[in-house]
Amino acid sequence: MALLRLPTQLATPAKSRHQMYSTNSNANSLSWHRNLTPPLLSSLPSGKCNARSAASMICNASAAEAATGAVNLGPGTPVRATSILVVGPTGTLGRQIVRRALDEGYDVRCLVRPRPAPADFLRDWGATVVNADLSKPETIPATLVGIHTVIDCATGRPEEPIKTVDWEGKVALIQCAKAMGIQKYVFYSIHNCDKHPEVPLMEIKYCTEKFLKDSGLNHVIIRLCGFMQGLIGQYAVPILEEKSVWGTDAPTRVAYMDTQDIARLTFIALRNESINGKLLTFAGPRAWTTQEVITLCERLAGQDANVTTVPVSVLGFTRQLTRCFEWTSDVADRLAFSEVLTSDTVFSAPMNETYKLLGVEQKDIVTLDKYLQDYFANILKKLKDIKAQSKQSDFYI
């Protein structure tokens, strides 16, 4: 029986693989790296910080470069078009992708990093769970056997360097998908990522888009603006619990979208062969500022919020400060979003053409008003029921 031989690069440890893709431009390789001035801070005396210019990132890719480490081995045993692998299935979006796929009759396999608390809810739903880690390329190939489509929702954890999963891991995953003949690859990116090279995660997303395009894989890239679900923990719950709500004075507007709608539109796009190779942007019906979201939550909760406003200038200063220490550099990368907040950016996009392309009506897309109204109505009803039961118990005692 013939054995499947994978490209040597797929078994390369994460660190050496990143070094391989960070060589100079004359080496004909894809690269993602920062030009730091002065040199890396690890060489500075302990406790001292020298001023340095803002980090800039460069990524280069070509079709030949992307294919270097991923050879298409040709057709093998046919796989069902309903066989999909969801990468990042436990996240806010990932779990909705899994739920939608199962509801529509897909055979769903979920790639999950080994963890002390297994993702049993995925098995309970009917998905198959396999353990693998994008930062360990040798664990990836087995997860792709018998898979037709990869849906990539993964992103790194807050405590780990951004490039570990979002760059090195994605390069390994795309290379492996190419080598094993995956038929389609869906990648979620960030709206306007091509316009903010100063933000590490956004630049990585843009570089990954380029790498995927040049890989030769059939693909769909979907840029997202923001999730409605993320507003619950950020604003709704603190208001109900009378805790501080943190906000900024930034003018940035975000067209939040329900992740259930994102999942629904994703599978419509997946089944539409004319969308292969396209870049889509999914945005909610309206763009909201932070203050508008807080005001809406106050009205629906029937109580005022204890708002603590953090000036964007403070976030910018904090980012510069955390750059001065090696152990806080990842914090600085994430605070880089403060650069976006000061740019008066609108995270939104016209959706009329996308609706037409997908055969969707705008009226079927959940608005933020409706989403939060339903949430508060359900929560307040439960709170009233709990309070009534408590009073009843007190009466009989």
Side-chain angles (χ1 to χ4, degrees):
M1 179 175 66
L3 297 178
L4 175 65
R5 293 179 59 86
L6 295 176
T8 304
Q9 289 164 316
L10 293 178
T12 305
K15 183 176 180 180
S16 62
R17 187 179 66 255
H18 179 62
Q19 291 171 343
M20 177 177 62
Y21 280 94
S22 296
T23 54
N24 60 54
S25 58
N26 294 327
N28 292 325
S29 65
L30 180 143
S31 65
W32 176 88
H33 63 276
R34 305 183 196 190
N35 296 328
L36 299 177
T37 307
L40 291 174
L41 293 173
S42 56
S43 63
L44 296 177
S46 177
K48 295 183 179 180
C49 172
N50 292 340
R52 68 184 184 181
S53 62
S56 61
M57 302 180 188
I58 302 172
C59 67
N60 301 300
S62 69
E65 295 160 5
T68 299
V71 180
N72 194 329
L73 301 181
T77 304
V79 296
R80 295 188 302 274
T82 56
S83 177
I84 68 173
L85 175 72
V86 180
V87 185
T90 60
T92 303
L93 175 60
R95 62 183 61 202
Q96 296 297 342
I97 294 294
V98 173
R99 182 72 268 172
R100 185 77 192 187
L102 290 168
D103 290 344
E104 295 195 8
Y106 286 85
D107 300 318
V108 182
R109 185 182 302 171
C110 298
L111 188 157
V112 178
R113 281 197 267 193
R115 57 174 67 187
D120 289 336
F121 72 94
L122 296 172
R123 293 188 181 92
D124 293 341
W125 288 353
T128 300
V129 176
V130 293
N131 286 333
D133 191 333
L134 294 187
S135 65
K136 299 176 181 178
E138 68 276 8
T139 67
I140 298 174
T143 69
L144 294 171
V145 175
I147 293 296
H148 180 279
T149 298
V150 171
I151 300 182
D152 179 5
C153 314
T155 191
R157 296 168 179 165
E159 69 271 13
E160 62 190 355
I162 290 176
K163 66 181 176 63
T164 300
V165 169
D166 289 285
W167 174 244
E168 295 174 347
K170 297 306 178 73
V171 166
L173 179 60
I174 293 169
Q175 285 183 321
C176 201
K178 176 68 174 181
M180 298 188 68
I182 295 301
Q183 299 298 299
K184 190 170 292 188
Y185 193 107
V186 179
F187 175 65
Y188 291 101
S189 188
I190 302 175
H191 181 48
N192 284 336
C193 63
D194 54 326
K195 298 179 181 178
H196 293 281
E198 75 280 8
V199 180
L201 181 58
M202 297 182 79
E203 178 65 0
I204 288 175
K205 289 288 189 182
Y206 181 55
C207 288
T208 307
E209 288 181 6
K210 293 179 66 178
F211 187 69
L212 177 58
K213 290 175 183 176
D214 292 343
S215 71
L217 283 167
N218 283 336
H219 66 274
V220 178
I221 296 172
I222 301 173
R223 290 183 178 179
L224 304 174
C225 297
F227 302 156
M228 293 181 184
Q229 281 74 5
L231 301 176
I232 300 300
Q234 191 171 1
Y235 302 118
V237 172
I239 290 175
L240 288 172
E241 295 182 350
E242 299 181 355
K243 295 181 179 179
S244 291
V245 175
W246 296 87
T248 71
D249 56 357
T252 306
R253 308 180 72 87
V254 180
Y256 300 100
M257 197 170 187
D258 186 348
T259 53
Q260 293 187 34
D261 281 337
I262 294 173
R264 181 168 61 90
L265 297 188
T266 294
F267 283 98
I268 293 174
L270 194 61
R271 292 187 292 268
N272 189 336
E273 293 300 322
S274 68
I275 295 179
N276 281 344
K278 289 189 179 296
L279 170 63
L280 304 177
T281 298
F282 289 174
R286 174 189 164 186
W288 299 72
T289 65
T290 297
Q291 187 53 56
E292 287 173 340
V293 173
I294 293 174
T295 300
L296 176 60
C297 289
E298 287 177 320
R299 177 172 63 81
L300 295 172
Q303 60 191 67
D304 294 335
N306 180 18
V307 182
T308 300
T309 302
V310 180
V312 173
S313 58
V314 173
L315 293 178
F317 173 76
T318 304
R319 182 193 179 199
Q320 297 300 325
L321 181 64
T322 54
R323 274 181 177 172
C324 297
F325 304 97
E326 183 179 6
W327 57 87
T328 58
S329 60
D330 295 326
V331 177
D333 284 348
R334 297 180 190 281
L335 284 173
F337 277 103
S338 63
E339 305 287 349
V340 180
L341 295 178
T342 58
S343 64
D344 198 16
T345 300
V346 178
F347 279 87
S348 184
M351 288 288 288
N352 290 336
E353 288 300 318
T354 302
Y355 291 148
K356 183 177 180 181
L357 184 64
L358 299 178
V360 175
E361 297 289 338
Q362 181 175 346
K363 63 180 179 60
D364 296 327
I365 304 298
V366 175
T367 64
L368 184 60
D369 311 65
K370 182 66 167 60
Y371 176 82
L372 289 176
Q373 183 178 3
D374 289 345
Y375 172 80
F376 278 104
N378 290 330
I379 291 297
L380 293 176
K381 182 179 183 301
K382 290 180 180 179
L383 291 175
K384 288 179 180 178
D385 291 343
I386 292 172
K387 186 176 181 180
Q389 291 174 6
S390 175
K391 287 183 177 180
Q392 189 177 28
S393 297
D394 292 342
F395 177 79
Y396 283 107
I397 288 175

